[in-house]
Amino acid sequence: MRSAGRRFLLAGTAVVAALAGGEALAARVVSLDQCADQYVLALAPRKAIVGLSHRADDADSHLRDLAKGLPQRRVTAEGVLAARPTLVVRYWGGDARLDEVLAKRGVASVRIEDAIDFDGVRANIVRVAGALGEPERGQALIARMDARLAASAGAWKGREALYLTPSGYTAGPGTFIDRILAAAGLRNAARPGFTPVSLETVVMGPERGFVLGFFDKLSAAFERWGMGRHRAVQKRLPERTLAAMPASVLSCPAWFAAEGVEALAKAAPGR
């Protein structure tokens, strides 16, 4: 971990130094996956973006409108290097050996880490914004996120809820979803981690409310045989649903998860 952190600091310092020194090669940024796309679109100057992933303008991409008109790149060493980047941003995208290939070509890379709470999101924003030489943009993004969280805090006053996806999974303590629910004042009814929910629990289980996630993507092929399509579930959920969050605020550990918190808060009684 210590050596990885040192490599990141050196890479980020090199990018910032190049910007400050006004070297001939201007900042050129490529993102390798949909989550990285969001960070780059929010934090990098548009003229510096020379490549996004092929999912940058998908329906569940939060900043898909900003992605319009920007080039999309294949996530291979050849596809990335063809854009002549000075910095590559990634979450899960790309081969595990790609960082080494890029480093040999003098290209810095920065990785978005998994975040299980909003402190982790703040750290990711600071990390990427620093590598881009845009710390002020990063702090402004954090400030907007924190304002949403502050305005939504405690809205549900400890009401119990069970998070549910169309595939029949829930998320308990130790997950980012748990922190989203808590930020809106909801008490998570799930066990720790990601666990399946039985059809019986949804249809005949305890009298509790549900928070739906990704149900706006119910038509996706990977949910074709999911619980969300079951007739009994579709009949039960409308009367038990407390709130719903779209896929675009849940698909990446990022600042816009606070918009999901805000949506939950707005659905609370008295709001």
Side-chain angles (χ1 to χ4, degrees), residues 25-30 50 73 78-87 107:
L25 184 60
R28 297 173 62 86
V29 185
V30 170
V50 294
R73 303 285 179 180
E78 294 80 5
V80 172
L81 290 171
R84 297 185 295 113
T86 57
L87 177 69
V107 180

Side-chain angles (χ1 to χ4, degrees), residues 36-53:
D37 293 334
Q38 312 310 305
Y39 278 81
V40 167
L41 288 166
L43 295 169
R46 188 173 179 85
K47 64 183 180 181
I49 302 173
V50 294
L52 299 171
S53 82

Side-chain angles (χ1 to χ4, degrees), residues 6-84:
R6 185 171 180 271
R7 285 198 302 271
F8 158 72
L9 289 173
L10 290 173
T13 301
V15 173
V16 175
L19 292 172
E23 294 181 5
L25 184 60
R28 297 173 62 86
V29 185
V30 170
S31 54
L32 300 188
D33 51 71
Q34 191 188 63
C35 188
D37 293 334
Q38 312 310 305
Y39 278 81
V40 167
L41 288 166
L43 295 169
R46 188 173 179 85
K47 64 183 180 181
I49 302 173
V50 294
L52 299 171
S53 82
H54 284 284
R55 292 198 59 201
D57 54 1
D58 282 3
D60 60 344
S61 174
H62 191 69
L63 297 179
R64 56 189 176 276
D65 289 341
L66 293 181
K68 293 177 180 177
L70 291 172
Q72 296 179 351
R73 303 285 179 180
R74 291 184 300 114
V75 187
T76 63
E78 294 80 5
V80 172
L81 290 171
R84 297 185 295 113

Side-chain angles (χ1 to χ4, degrees), residues 128-142:
V128 178
L132 290 166
E134 298 287 345
E136 294 84 4
R137 289 193 186 203
Q139 290 304 316
L141 206 57
I142 291 172

